[in-house]
């Protein structure tokens, strides 16, 4: 089962368009990642929706869905018939819940005339709202299906790449063996040839040293006669006249010893003396007696030998043995040829040796014969073999037309066994690799429904066109369009007919002469067209031809289907600095076209550019601020008061971060924390705040207030990072703060899926001695059960209840009940947001011992806090 990865920008774009088109409000939440989208609308609209769509109701909707259940839509009860609420869930591969749309709408006609609404508030009817919800359910299903398809494709591509790597490694080994086989026919001395083979094989097998040990004539000692090493340090200077008794392996037997092997004492002494961690030791026998040992050594490096490495080392031993015997037998032609033929016949590649002047094939192995047994290929390969133009050392991509196979060739001029100059040609079958590549490219870049190229291919082609157009100083354009209300059409037609219609539309657009091969299905009913620099002069005509296709009905199976499109367009390069931003801007242009109504068109303009630039600038500024050591971030401290005999006394503070940006001025947390989480910057930023707060508290403790404690807000994303506990421990050690004076504040909006990891992290933090506070309790539909589940020391009641205590009986009862419950399980209670005298008076009747809020003080700088409370 795949873990779905959402593109929040895509979800946000979908939500923005959907809300605008259907006059509703919604956000998307995930059990794992929390809220995925932000509100689509103005601030007055957002405030109105927040006040009438309580977080407790949202939590109730989310919790009502069950994994594996068929129910995808829930409709909670509403006290007012003019407010409409829905939850729409979308599920993963195993019908598990992966996201929920929380939807809200207003039927203004049903509302009493006395009720005031914001001027910009969108309204609808119950019938339209129900249709929109049904459409949203189907859109979500298609969205998840597309994500799952992409994940399956990624996995398959990964498998293909792994297979390609394996074949590539085999080719490398084959090429190496070909080079070593060439050395077999060298007229150089055994020492010279063996020295080269040791170097080749040592590099391939990636050991630190390869060597040949030779037994002395009297059989009492051994010398390292040849050695290759990856560095400058060698064993051979100290490995001369070594007594055989000190070489426990030199008994005619082969040894393969990895670093984790339990060594007998004699081997242990030998390995320790030369700092050897692993070794392959193979005997070379002459006349049934051991004359030499081939050694593959790992010095000062742990080593586990693989099966392929062991096989390779034995192949090298056999080749060296063959060369040794050949030299000993005074270069016997028959002996050498027999050994060579035995090796080559068992190789997995084709080998042929030719006499170019005589146009004569001197040798070919069976593999070569089977490669070119087709009559067409036999004629073609004979022309290739004796063509003097093929004088490169290596040729890639020879196609055998008869068999349909592909080969890479290695060509080398060598001395034949009788001394004449000949040509050695080795053929490697690369058909499987090419088929893998072709299949992978097709799967990765082709949409299976329409046969068009997909989004991946589109992005690749845009990047290439961007590069070409920039170099030539030319302009190109990209169009992005989708079918208006296609989901509704799909439901009416049936999905199979809807797919047929999409395929028909795709073929019709792709058949336009200036477009051919440059039309892409981006996803669902969304298509893109690349108008390259050669066809940019026809841009207006291309747009008109596409739009004209939808002026008449489409005919499928003798039935007519009317549909329109909305299209966005962008000319590039223009002000765009790279290709990756083009589709993002096109999405904004498409959204603008949709807002105009069906069958509309819009170019991306400067106004839309401002939206993109503002977000990119914020992200870039934030990234820069964090990468520069978080120096622009300032920690403020709001006092926490403890009631002792009815008198409030400062007992510490809550640390609150502000971004004092050199470009933007003072930015509150709501303006940057979400962006920090999205960009994976929250770990570094949170660590900085934690460290600064701990330093401040340690200073207060050291200068007269050992009882002061510091509370630090921890982001849910930061809390579940793998290194959070390690970084917390580092802060404790660096500052030497008493861990009991550091409280980690967490809100329980991390989603149920993260609960086990959250509990694990908090347990580890408490094991270090830190305290834990559950923040904003009562907000986001907090569950009473979390007081029991989570390892907490303090419960902080959300300030919303504090502000409503005087006029809301429920709020007053909530504070009283939660305080009593917390005290019964020995958990401290802190009430935030205290701003008025009457709130203090009411809290005096409850079991509340900690309070904070503007009534006592605002958040202060470190210096201001020190002056007032230290």
């Amino acid at each position: 089962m795949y873990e779905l990865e959402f593109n929040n920008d895509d979800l946000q774009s979908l939500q923005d368009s959907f809300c605008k088109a259907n006059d509703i409000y919604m956000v998307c939440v995930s059990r794992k990642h929390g809220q995925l989208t932000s509100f689509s609308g103005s601030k007055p609209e957002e405030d109105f929706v927040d006040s009438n769509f309580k977080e407790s109701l949202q939590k109730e909707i989310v919790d009502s869905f069950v994994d594996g259940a068929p129910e995808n839509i829930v409709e909670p009860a509403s006290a007012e018939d003019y407010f409409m609420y829905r939850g729409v869930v979308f599920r993963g591969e195993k019908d598990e819940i992966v996201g929920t749309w929380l939807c809200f709408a207003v039927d203004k006609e049903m509302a009493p005339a006395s009720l005031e609404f914001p001027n910009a508030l969108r309204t609808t009817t119950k019938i339209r709202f129900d249709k929109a919800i049904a459409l949203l359910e189907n859109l979500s299903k298609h969205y998840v299906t597309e994500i799952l398809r992409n994940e399956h494709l990624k996995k398959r591509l990964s498998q293909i790449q792994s297979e390609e790597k394996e074949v590539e490694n085999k080719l490398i080994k084959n090429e190496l063996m070909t080079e070593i086989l060439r050395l077999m026919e060298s007229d150089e001395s055994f020492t010279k040839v063996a020295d080269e083979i040791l170097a080749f094989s040592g590099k391939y097998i990636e050991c630190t040293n390869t060597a040949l040990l030779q037994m002395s004539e009297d059989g009492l000692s051994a010398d390292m006669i040849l050695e290759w090493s990856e560095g400058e340090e060698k064993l051979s200077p100290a490995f001369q006249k070594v007594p055989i008794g000190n070489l426990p392996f030199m008994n005619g037997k082969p040894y393969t010893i990895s670093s984790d092997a339990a060594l007998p004492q004699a081997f242990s002494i030998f390995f320790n003396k030369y700092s050897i961690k692993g070794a392959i030791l193979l005997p070379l026998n002459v006349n049934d007696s051991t004359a030499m040992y081939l050694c593959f050594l790992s010095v000062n490096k742990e080593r586990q030998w693989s099966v392929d490495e062991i096989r390779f080392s034995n192949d090298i031993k056999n080749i060296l043995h063959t060369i040794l015997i050949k030299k000993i037998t005074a270069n016997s032609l028959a002996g050498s040829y027999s050994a060579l033929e035995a090796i080559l016949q068992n190789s997995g590649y084709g080998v042929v040796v030719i006499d170019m002047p005589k146009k004569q094939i001197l040798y070919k192995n069976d593999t070569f014969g089977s490669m070119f047994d087709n009559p067409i290929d036999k004629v073609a390969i004979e022309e290739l073999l004796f063509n003097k133009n093929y004088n490169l050392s290596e040729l890639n991509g020879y196609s055998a037309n008869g068999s349909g196979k592909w080969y890479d060739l290695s060509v080398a001029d060598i001395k034949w066994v009788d001394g004449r100059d000949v040509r050695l040609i080795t053929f490697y079958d690369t058909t499987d690799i090419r088929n893998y590549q072709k299949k992978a490219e097709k799967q990765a870049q082709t949409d299976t429904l329409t046969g068009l190229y997909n989004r991946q291919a589109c992005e690749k082609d845009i990047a290439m066109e961007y590069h070409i157009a920039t170099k030539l100083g030319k302009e190109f354009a990209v169009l992005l369009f989708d079918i208006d209300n296609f989901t509704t059409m799909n439901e009416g037609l049936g999905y199979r007919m809807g797919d047929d219609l999409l395929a028909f539309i795709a073929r019709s657009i792709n058949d336009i002469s200036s477009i051919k091969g440059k039309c892409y299905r981006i996803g669902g009913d969304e298509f893109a067209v690349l108008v390259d620099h050669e066809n940019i002069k026809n841009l207006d005509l291309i747009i008109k031809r596409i739009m004209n296709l939808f002026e008449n009905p489409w005919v499928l199976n003798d039935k007519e289907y009317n549909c329109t499109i909305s299209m966005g367009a962008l000319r590039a390069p223009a002000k765009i600095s790279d290709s990756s931003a083009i589709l993002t801007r096109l999405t904004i242009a498409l959204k603008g076209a949709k807002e105009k109504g069906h069958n509309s068109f819009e170019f991306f303009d400067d106004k839309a550019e401002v939206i993109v630039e503002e977000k990119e600038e914020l992200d870039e500024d934030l990234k820069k601020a964090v990468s520069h050591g978080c120096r622009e971030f300032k920690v403020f401290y709001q006092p926490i008061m403890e009631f002792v005999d009815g008198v409030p006394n400062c007992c510490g503070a809550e640390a609150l971060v502000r971004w004092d940006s050199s470009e933007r001025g003072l930015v509150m947390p709501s303006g940057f924390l979400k962006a920090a989480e999205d960009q994976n910057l929250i770990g570094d930023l949170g660590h900085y705040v934690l460290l600064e707060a701990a330093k401040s508290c340690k200073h207060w403790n050291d200068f007269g207030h050992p009882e002061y404690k510091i509370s630090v807000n921890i982001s849910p994303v930061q809390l579940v990072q793998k290194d959070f506990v390690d970084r917390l421990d580092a802060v404790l050690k660096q500052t030497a703060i008493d861990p009991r004076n550091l409280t980690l504040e967490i809100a329980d909006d991390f989603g149920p899926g993260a609960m086990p990891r959250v509990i694990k992290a908090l347990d580890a933090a408490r094991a270090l001695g830190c305290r834990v506070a559950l923040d904003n309790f009562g907000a986001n539909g907090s569950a009473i059960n979390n007081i029991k589940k989570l390892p907490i020391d303090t419960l902080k009641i959300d300030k919303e209840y504090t502000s409503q205590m005087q006029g809301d009986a429920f709020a007053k009862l909530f504070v009283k009940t939660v305080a009593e419950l917390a005290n019964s399980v020995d958990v401290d209670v802190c009430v935030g947001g205290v701003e008025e005298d009457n709130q203090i008076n009411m809290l005096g009747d409850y079991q509340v011992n900690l309070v904070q809020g503007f009534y006592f003080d605002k958040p202060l700088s470190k210096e201001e806090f020190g002056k007032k409370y230290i």
Side-chain angles (χ1 to χ4, degrees), residues 659-680:
W659 180 16
D660 189 10
S661 171
S662 57
E663 302 291 334
R664 301 170 180 273
L666 191 64
V667 184
M668 301 301 284
S670 59
F672 64 87
L673 284 184
K674 182 64 170 62
E677 291 178 341
D678 293 341
Q679 294 192 80
N680 199 28

Side-chain angles (χ1 to χ4, degrees), residues 501-569:
L501 179 59
L502 279 179
F504 189 21
I505 290 172
R507 287 195 299 271
S508 300
I509 295 173
N510 197 47
D511 284 343
I512 296 174
S513 59
S514 298
I515 293 178
K516 191 71 175 179
K518 299 293 185 179
C519 183
Y520 312 84
R521 186 186 181 202
I522 302 300
D525 64 315
E526 195 170 65
F527 297 86
V529 169
L530 173 61
V531 182
D532 60 28
H533 65 279
E534 294 181 350
N535 288 297
I536 190 66
K537 59 183 179 293
N538 300 320
L539 177 61
D540 292 339
L541 177 61
I542 292 170
I543 294 172
K544 184 175 181 180
R545 290 194 64 182
I546 295 174
M547 300 296 284
N548 286 347
L549 285 175
F550 294 87
E551 290 184 354
N552 299 309
W554 298 85
V555 180
L556 283 176
N557 298 334
D558 298 326
K559 292 184 180 180
E560 294 184 351
Y561 302 96
N562 290 289
C563 57
T564 59
I565 61 171
S566 297
M567 180 185 295

Side-chain angles (χ1 to χ4, degrees), residues 166 173 204-205 305-313 315:
E166 183 178 348
K173 180 180 177 181
Y204 178 80
I205 207 170
W305 304 105
S306 69
V307 174
D308 287 338
E309 289 166 347
I310 295 171
R311 289 175 179 168
F312 176 83
S313 62
D315 288 341

Side-chain angles (χ1 to χ4, degrees), residues 584-818:
T584 300
R585 286 161 171 76
L586 278 171
T587 302
I588 295 174
L590 177 58
K591 177 184 174 184
K594 284 186 171 296
E595 290 174 352
K596 293 180 179 179
H598 294 173
N599 214 30
S600 297
F601 171 86
E602 182 167 303
F603 267 104
F604 182 84
D605 56 20
D606 292 340
K607 182 178 179 181
E609 185 70 50
V610 172
I611 300 172
V612 176
E613 289 176 354
E614 284 180 353
K615 184 180 184 306
E616 290 178 346
E617 287 174 3
L618 172 66
D619 290 346
E620 189 61 32
D621 289 348
L622 183 60
K623 189 184 300 181
K624 188 184 300 181
V626 173
S627 66
H628 290 172
C630 298
R631 291 190 297 270
E632 290 187 348
F633 295 93
K634 308 299 180 186
V635 181
F636 287 72
Y637 302 91
Q638 184 173 38
I640 299 175
M641 314 303 287
E642 181 178 19
F643 280 98
V644 180
D645 297 329
V647 179
N649 293 290
C650 179
C651 64
E654 178 181 0
L656 302 167
V657 64
R658 306 286 187 263
W659 180 16
D660 189 10
S661 171
S662 57
E663 302 291 334
R664 301 170 180 273
L666 191 64
V667 184
M668 301 301 284
S670 59
F672 64 87
L673 284 184
K674 182 64 170 62
E677 291 178 341
D678 293 341
Q679 294 192 80
N680 199 28
L681 302 173
I682 196 65
D684 290 339
L685 177 56
H687 178 75
Y688 168 79
V689 175
L690 192 63
L691 180 60
E692 289 299 306
K695 286 180 180 177
S696 296
C697 187
K698 183 62 166 64
H699 175 76
W700 306 335
N701 298 155
D702 291 344
F703 287 85
H705 293 278
E707 77 284 2
Y708 274 14
K709 295 176 173 57
I710 189 72
S711 295
V712 183
N713 292 283
I714 304 298
S715 159
V717 177
Q718 178 189 2
L719 183 63
V720 297
Q721 289 180 339
K722 292 182 179 179
D723 63 347
F724 172 73
V725 176
D726 290 337
R727 298 183 83 163
L728 173 62
D729 186 39
V731 167
L732 296 176
K733 291 176 180 176
Q734 182 177 343
T735 62
I737 187 177
D738 184 343
R740 293 172 297 180
N741 286 347
L742 177 59
T743 300
L744 309 179
E745 290 195 8
I746 59 138
D748 60 349
D749 58 354
F750 39 76
M755 179 68 81
R757 285 183 294 164
V758 168
I759 293 175
K760 182 179 179 181
L762 294 180
D763 281 338
R766 293 183 90 204
L768 293 174
C770 300
R771 295 168 58 83
V772 175
L774 182 57
D775 196 13
N776 299 333
F777 187 78
N780 302 314
S782 301
I784 291 290
N785 195 38
N786 285 343
I787 299 176
K788 179 181 178 182
K789 282 184 179 179
L790 294 169
I792 62 174
D793 304 283
T794 303
L795 185 66
K796 298 189 71 172
I797 298 176
D798 189 66
K799 61 183 179 181
E800 177 184 348
Y801 295 95
T802 312
S803 63
Q804 298 175 2
M805 281 175 58
Q806 188 171 7
D808 189 332
F810 176 80
K812 186 175 180 180
L813 182 60
F814 179 85
V815 175
K816 180 177 183 295
T817 303
V818 171

Side-chain angles (χ1 to χ4, degrees), residues 289-535:
S289 297
T290 301
M292 296 182 182
Y293 255 85
L294 171 63
C295 307
F296 295 86
L297 306 174
S298 182
V299 178
N300 288 320
K301 288 185 179 180
E302 301 292 321
R303 187 62 183 259
Q304 306 293 325
W305 304 105
S306 69
V307 174
D308 287 338
E309 289 166 347
I310 295 171
R311 289 175 179 168
F312 176 83
S313 62
N314 276 280
D315 288 341
I316 297 300
K317 185 204 78 167
N318 292 334
I319 290 172
L320 285 173
H321 181 262
T322 300
I323 296 173
L324 179 62
I325 296 300
K326 170 189 172 183
K327 298 301 181 182
I328 291 175
T329 57
N331 205 14
S332 167
L333 177 62
S336 298
Y337 187 85
S338 176
L340 174 64
E341 185 174 33
I343 293 172
L344 295 181
Q345 289 295 0
N346 290 296
S347 65
Y349 39 85
V351 178
V352 61
V353 179
I354 58 173
D355 185 326
M356 288 290 288
K358 293 183 179 181
K359 293 190 175 182
Q360 176 185 1
I361 294 178
L362 303 177
Y363 172 82
K364 62 180 178 180
N365 66 357
D366 292 341
T367 304
F368 174 81
S370 63
M371 282 178 171
F372 305 105
D373 57 358
N374 184 285
I376 297 175
D377 294 337
K378 282 184 178 179
V379 175
I381 201 63
E382 189 165 332
E383 292 181 2
L384 171 69
L385 292 178
F386 299 108
N387 190 332
K388 294 182 180 180
N389 293 326
Y390 290 107
N391 54 9
L392 300 176
S393 61
E394 195 162 309
L395 300 170
N396 296 322
Y398 173 73
S399 174
N401 295 327
S403 64
K405 293 188 174 183
W406 288 84
Y407 299 93
D408 286 352
L409 284 67
S410 288
V411 182
D413 294 324
I414 64 171
K415 291 285 187 181
W416 189 231
V417 290
D418 59 1
R420 63 175 136 169
D421 294 326
V422 296
R423 175 163 288 186
L424 170 69
I425 307 178
T426 309
F427 292 80
Y428 309 100
D429 188 339
T430 59
T431 307
D432 288 342
I433 293 177
R434 291 181 178 271
N435 288 340
Y436 281 138
Q437 292 172 338
K438 184 182 292 185
K439 186 176 180 181
E441 289 176 3
K442 185 175 182 180
Q443 287 179 337
Q445 299 187 11
T446 304
D447 174 58
T448 55
L449 174 64
T450 63
L452 298 178
Y453 289 123
N454 61 14
R455 185 186 186 98
Q456 179 181 340
C458 180
E459 292 176 349
K460 179 181 176 183
D461 288 353
I462 289 175
M464 178 60 72
E465 182 63 26
Y466 180 90
H467 174 76
I468 295 172
T470 303
K471 289 288 185 183
L472 297 178
K474 302 286 187 180
E475 192 177 43
F476 68 98
V478 187
L479 314 177
L480 183 69
F481 59 91
D482 65 10
I483 301 171
D484 297 321
N485 295 334
F486 182 73
T487 302
T488 304
M489 291 179 59
N490 224 3
E491 292 173 353
L493 297 174
Y495 291 111
R496 181 172 297 177
M497 186 60 71
D499 287 347
D500 291 344
L501 179 59
L502 279 179
F504 189 21
I505 290 172
R507 287 195 299 271
S508 300
I509 295 173
N510 197 47
D511 284 343
I512 296 174
S513 59
S514 298
I515 293 178
K516 191 71 175 179
K518 299 293 185 179
C519 183
Y520 312 84
R521 186 186 181 202
I522 302 300
D525 64 315
E526 195 170 65
F527 297 86
V529 169
L530 173 61
V531 182
D532 60 28
H533 65 279
E534 294 181 350
N535 288 297

